Amino acid sequence: MILYHGSNVRVEKPRLLENQRRLDFGKGFYTTLDIKQATQWAIRIARIKSTGKPYLNVYDFDNKALDFLNLIKFDKADEQWLDFVVMNRTKQELVKDKYDVIWGPVADDQTVQTISFYINGDLSKKATIEMLLPQKLSDQFVLKTEKTISYLSFKEAVLL
């Protein structure tokens, strides 16, 4: 399976970084199957950080590894996905070493706003899910452990 990672640098040797930000699926190396999403992220992060250049890093992942890695997959932005994302965005990561891979929809800018309304009590869970389900959300494939990263092979970094 081909995975993409947008960044402001070449990432030939992915690693797990200690990270203070509260992301959808907690700490991990974030990739996607969506080349457009990774390209947009590379351009955005290079602009935000005002350093480096936008790179589309391309990897091959040995998907046979999914047969024995501890994987959780969310097929859509449903109640289970919402609870998981809210937990990671509002608390310390509670599933730190429980999963090797987490795969599911990514909360884009519009989704993050909807989730924020839910967290603040401005939307019920039912209303939040109703707003999220029609959205065509891209995916995120998050490698949570060094073991998982070992199944990732760097192919190229494309300067955008």
Side-chain angles (χ1 to χ4, degrees):
M1 144 178 18
I2 300 298
L3 296 172
Y4 304 97
H5 174 79
S7 183
N8 64 323
V9 295
R10 292 174 61 96
V11 183
E12 293 182 30
K13 295 182 180 179
R15 54 195 169 106
L16 300 175
L17 301 176
E18 288 304 321
N19 177 330
Q20 298 304 317
R21 295 182 357 201
R22 301 216 170 138
L23 302 173
D24 292 352
F25 295 160
K27 177 184 153 187
F29 185 70
Y30 280 68
T31 64
T32 181
L33 293 160
D34 186 342
I35 191 171
K36 181 179 175 187
Q37 175 184 302
T39 299
Q40 290 171 340
W41 181 252
I43 293 166
R44 180 179 180 189
I45 199 70
R47 186 180 70 243
I48 289 169
K49 290 193 172 191
S50 299
T51 183
K53 297 181 179 180
Y55 280 96
L56 176 66
N57 294 281
V58 183
Y59 307 92
D60 188 29
F61 183 80
D62 181 359
N63 51 335
K64 291 178 188 171
L66 295 176
D67 292 339
F68 54 86
L69 291 170
N70 194 4
L71 163 75
I72 183 171
K73 184 175 182 189
F74 299 98
D75 293 319
K76 60 186 175 185
D78 59 12
E79 189 172 326
Q80 182 185 14
W81 175 87
L82 178 62
D83 290 342
F84 195 85
V85 169
V86 167
M87 183 257 320
N88 279 299
R89 287 185 168 266
T90 59
K91 301 175 184 167
Q92 292 297 327
E93 187 176 11
L94 300 177
V95 293
K96 187 171 183 176
D97 296 318
K98 190 172 181 179
Y99 301 106
D100 296 308
V101 177
I102 303 175
W103 190 1
V106 62
D108 63 13
D109 291 341
Q110 182 180 348
T111 309
V112 168
Q113 184 177 22
T114 302
I115 291 171
S116 293
F117 287 144
Y118 170 69
I119 290 170
N120 293 332
D122 298 324
L123 282 175
S124 68
K125 184 179 277 188
K126 182 180 179 193
T128 302
I129 296 298
E130 286 173 2
M131 291 177 73
L132 293 174
L133 284 179
Q135 295 183 34
K136 298 281 188 218
L137 300 177
S138 295
D139 76 301
Q140 52 193 344
F141 187 92
V142 183
L143 294 82
K144 304 282 289 175
T145 62
E146 295 296 336
K147 176 171 88 173
T148 308
I149 287 176
S150 72
Y151 295 102
L152 200 62
S153 300
F154 177 78
K155 291 182 63 135
E156 65 178 325
V158 179
L159 179 61
L160 301 171

